[in-house]
Amino acid sequence: QVRLVESGGGLAQPGESLRLSCTAFGFDFSPYIISWYRQAPGEGRELVASISPTGTNTDYREAVEGRFTISRDNAKNTVYLQMNSLKPDDTALYYCKAAQRGRPVYWGQGTQVTVAS
């Protein structure tokens, strides 16, 4: 079955770290750009970070620049989002997306991240 599965979310205190994983099943995701999005309650979905197929290029939204790091291991069909110095504003449901021109787009179901004292 073709799907993306996120994991690693949970409850963290401000300043702590979490590492999210996004693993692809049923397809080779090495040609895909992988992105992490998040959606807070009552808000729209926003792009957090993206990584190119080879991992050479990465992009981050300004709010997470310097705190979050996206990386990938194509041998494991997995992308990671290392989140350091977490803030309450980082609280959201985090999704990963696989996209590439001319290919189907895949979304995961999301993993909840809650940052609170």
Side-chain angles (χ1 to χ4, degrees):
Q1 183 179 4
V2 174
R3 65 191 192 277
L4 290 174
V5 178
E6 301 97 335
S7 62
L11 175 64
Q13 294 191 348
E16 292 185 338
S17 300
L18 287 174
R19 189 177 80 154
L20 306 184
S21 298
C22 169
T23 300
F25 295 91
F27 71 102
D28 175 14
F29 88 166
S30 62
Y32 285 80
I33 296 168
I34 306 297
S35 301
W36 284 97
Y37 286 76
R38 67 186 182 187
Q39 186 167 18
E43 303 290 333
R45 192 173 294 191
E46 61 183 25
L47 176 63
V48 177
S50 295
I51 188 165
S52 61
T54 61
T56 302
N57 296 309
T58 57
D59 283 305
Y60 300 90
R61 73 179 299 106
E62 186 175 350
V64 307
E65 187 89 48
R67 299 188 298 121
F68 290 11
T69 302
I70 189 170
S71 61
R72 68 191 295 161
D73 184 343
N74 285 342
K76 296 182 179 179
N77 259 13
T78 299
V79 167
Y80 305 97
L81 185 68
Q82 178 67 41
M83 306 187 297
N84 299 330
S85 302
L86 283 163
K87 303 176 180 180
D89 284 350
D90 296 320
T91 295
L93 188 60
Y94 284 71
Y95 302 85
C96 62
K97 183 184 84 171
Q100 185 57 270
R101 188 168 53 188
R103 297 176 182 263
V105 176
Y106 301 110
W107 285 91
Q109 294 298 305
T111 185
Q112 178 66 40
V113 171
T114 302
V115 184
S117 301

